[in-house]
Amino acid sequence: MDAKFEIATDEQIINPVCDFTYSWGVNCGLSKGEALRFSVAVSELITDVILFAFPGDSKENFEIEFYHTFSNVEIVVSEMGEPFDPDRHTYDFQKALDEDDFDGAGFLLMRSFSDDFSFINKGKEGKEFRLAKNIQIHDIDELLQQSADQREVELRNKGDQNSRVNIEEFTINRIKPTDAEDISKLFYRTYGYSYNKEDLYLPKKIEESVLAKDKLGVIARKKDGEAIGFFSVIPKDNSDIAEVGEAVVSPKYRRNGVMSSMMDRIIEIAKSHELTMLLGEAVTLHPVSQKVNNKFGYKTTAIQLASMVNVKYKGFDEEYPQPISMALDFLPISQPPKKAVYLPEKYSEIILETYIELGMDVELKESGAYHLADKSDIDLEIDYSSSSSLIIVKRYGKDFFTVLSDMVSSLEEKSPKTILLDLPLKNRATPEQFLNITSLNFIYCGLLPQFHFDTDFLRLQKVYSAIDFSIIDIYSEFGQKIKSFIADEYHIHSEERQKT
């Protein structure tokens, strides 16, 4: 999150918020024209909240949050005002012309001036409005068109692999802002422009992330200073784990122990930051990255279906016939103390086996009596690039099933590829609440140890794409067991949907 404001329902705040939105959008990479139009959409949204969400002259507060990634910006407005149904406020051009009735024009403007507009009804938790705008990276788009250069790089890389060089000495050091250009060149010389994270071709972006300490990384160099390897992990905001960001070794210097040395150093750095786990997400259209993870002791604990769309990988010229799934591999750095977990009976066996794989000591507890809060506490994250959403349950309330059902219905209006649902395993209400949501057709995804708030979560998934499991390549034996478990449940749900 870049910024979060709690704002009073006062019309005087509209201009300052729009000015901030414009400047923030430009700094994130929007053109001045795009930033201006996006700020107009935000202006319309917060004006509607101020004028119509709260009755009478009451002065209330609402929240606005600003997020950005390399590829898009997103603004989330949360308010606890009067309920309303946006479907009843559809703009009618003829009514506007004949009767001066402009009801719904604001929503039309917001949709026109943003790339994605979502309304989420969260019941007693209020309402969320989400505006998102894609960042157009024209330089990268142009670079990706340079097919002749790409072929030249691939031929050179093939030659490099055939002329592999043995090296006796190399250094591993933590990355500094001054390493940014060498890191970009390393990815170019290894992958051409086929690597799927565009920011790695922009040294300034790498420099900014290092300065902001958004990632922990190391760089490997020969004695003469040539960069030959790079490895980074990205700490999570709400837990003491880190996700593997990027890892690369120059082809002609592979099989010299560079990757192993970088991994060892990353683990040292992770321990110094008191991190407890490393997470590696490995694509399942080939087993290469999973083999690397397995070599270093990572354990597959979950398989996330249809995670990535429209991604091409160098060396795979044929079109992959479905969205790419991911294996989630965890490496424990330090073992947490024994903990109590409350598991849905349907998944207790596979989850307990996963804990054994990880070497984690848990005690399976019966739910017993528990108290539900008046209001649920549920977070929502939307990944626009992959058409997926993540719902994180922090606290169960009496309104849980209603709120969850409404959220899923709202998200389904955007034709998602997947909706993920994370349930807390330390909460004694989870087994019974799981039974309540079986009608929503979620299936198993896996165990996420220490994933949110330093506690374990069960991840479920609802998949809207047809999945051919025969082309999902899982390397580890236990990972194959998880795949088989998910496939069986997926096919059962598919058959039930066909019957209805």
Side-chain angles (χ1 to χ4, degrees), residues 86-87 111 119 406-416:
D87 293 337
R111 289 188 172 95
F119 167 76
D406 287 345
M407 290 179 73
V408 170
S409 295
S410 297
L411 292 169
E412 286 179 334
E413 293 177 3
K414 312 299 291 184
S415 301

Side-chain angles (χ1 to χ4, degrees), residues 106-120:
F107 287 114
L108 179 63
L109 183 147
M110 286 181 245
R111 289 188 172 95
S112 300
F113 282 8
S114 60
D115 292 320
D116 196 284
F117 172 77
S118 301
F119 167 76
I120 308 294

Side-chain angles (χ1 to χ4, degrees), residues 276-280 297-302 328-336 339 350-362 425 444 446-451 456-457 478 482:
T276 58
M277 291 265 183
L278 293 182
L279 162 64
Y298 286 78
K299 305 295 182 181
T300 299
T301 71
L328 275 56
D329 298 337
F330 285 84
L331 174 67
I333 295 175
S334 61
Q335 289 297 338
K339 65 183 78 175
I350 189 77
I351 293 174
L352 289 173
E353 287 185 43
T354 308
Y355 276 121
I356 292 172
E357 281 286 306
L358 291 166
M360 296 177 66
D361 192 10
V362 297
L425 294 181
Y444 189 71
L447 172 67
L448 307 183
Q450 304 289 110
F451 200 72
D456 303 345
F457 276 71
F478 187 70
I482 294 175

